[in-house]
Amino acid sequence: MAAHRLFCDFASLNRKDAGDWVSNCSKLADEAFKNSSNQTRLLGNLLVLEQYMHTLEQGLQENGEEPLPITYQSIQMLWDYLDGKMKPSDFADFANSLYACVLEFMVGEGLTEEQSAFYENHFPEGNDNLVQWEILCWASFLMLELLSIYGERLDFDEFESCDAVDFVEIDEMLNGLNDACMDFAGVE
């Protein structure tokens, strides 16, 4: 695996090496961006997240559907942060509530009254598209990491010691992208 780099000719890799590259992409990204600012690290995440979002849009479009507005909103908030239009404190309530909703959907975590209202406001009945929830999970992770880095309010202890934007969700997204494409295409 040491021979692999983040920036490589992926198409030239054999099946095993391509699988290794995808499985270790977050480690490769972390190494490639180790001396980069959190803004640059966030940009790296957002570039991959945008591609994943386009896959979701195309897949839903085939069924005459589109992503929920909150999906666009969460990604836009991260871009607005990068553009200097928002500070982490501006999205603290949103990020904490969004992550609580992700936990509720993924593992059945209970919601507070405020979080339940957020859920009801942003997630219509029957919204069970896993690809969309993975995007929301990744976006909420990034927002919570920024909240931790800048010392803003966090409702989740697991983010308190975060001192840099990481790339952990890239592995999950790349591994899930194949499944998402097959699901949207109706391939068994």
Side-chain angles (χ1 to χ4, degrees):
M1 187 64 222
H4 297 307
R5 297 181 338 226
L6 181 63
F7 304 104
C8 70
D9 181 7
F10 184 80
S12 70
L13 299 177
N14 65 39
R15 185 179 184 103
K16 182 191 177 311
D17 286 344
D20 288 346
W21 188 93
V22 168
S23 295
N24 291 292
C25 186
S26 67
K27 291 176 190 162
L28 295 169
D30 204 39
E31 179 63 27
F33 288 87
K34 73 178 173 186
N35 296 320
S36 299
S37 70
N38 282 315
Q39 284 75 11
T40 301
R41 294 170 69 86
L42 178 60
L43 176 61
N45 273 275
L46 281 172
L47 292 175
V48 177
L49 184 57
E50 284 285 344
Q51 291 302 310
Y52 205 75
M53 181 67 180
H54 290 297
T55 300
L56 173 67
E57 288 172 323
Q58 291 171 342
L60 290 175
Q61 196 172 49
E62 289 296 317
N63 296 326
E65 301 172 36
E66 60 185 44
L68 294 175
I70 192 171
T71 312
Y72 292 108
Q73 182 181 5
S74 62
I75 294 172
Q76 188 60 50
M77 286 179 165
L78 291 164
W79 283 113
D80 286 347
Y81 163 77
L82 276 180
D83 287 341
K85 297 175 186 173
M86 289 187 101
K87 301 176 298 219
S89 59
D90 296 333
F91 54 73
D93 290 341
F94 180 91
N96 282 294
S97 292
L98 178 59
Y99 187 64
C101 292
V102 167
L103 289 177
E104 195 286 325
F105 177 81
M106 298 285 196
V107 297
E109 187 80 19
L111 297 174
T112 66
E113 192 174 309
E114 181 182 319
Q115 293 163 344
S116 291
F118 183 91
Y119 192 97
E120 289 173 19
N121 192 33
H122 293 287
F123 300 100
E125 189 76 27
N127 178 47
D128 59 355
N129 182 292
L130 188 57
V131 175
Q132 186 160 232
W133 280 102
E134 288 175 346
I135 291 170
L136 292 166
C137 181
W138 192 356
S140 65
F141 262 56
L142 293 170
M143 286 185 213
L144 292 173
E145 287 176 344
L146 290 170
L147 292 176
S148 179
I149 291 165
Y150 291 101
E152 299 297 336
R153 182 181 64 81
L154 284 170
D155 294 345
F156 301 93
D157 296 342
E158 61 265 32
F159 292 95
E160 285 183 359
S161 64
C162 179
D163 58 358
V165 172
D166 70 32
F167 296 93
V168 70
E169 289 298 307
I170 288 178
D171 286 351
E172 296 297 323
M173 292 298 117
L174 289 176
N175 285 324
L177 193 56
N178 187 44
D179 295 337
C181 291
M182 290 188 329
D183 183 49
F184 286 136
V187 175
E188 294 286 325

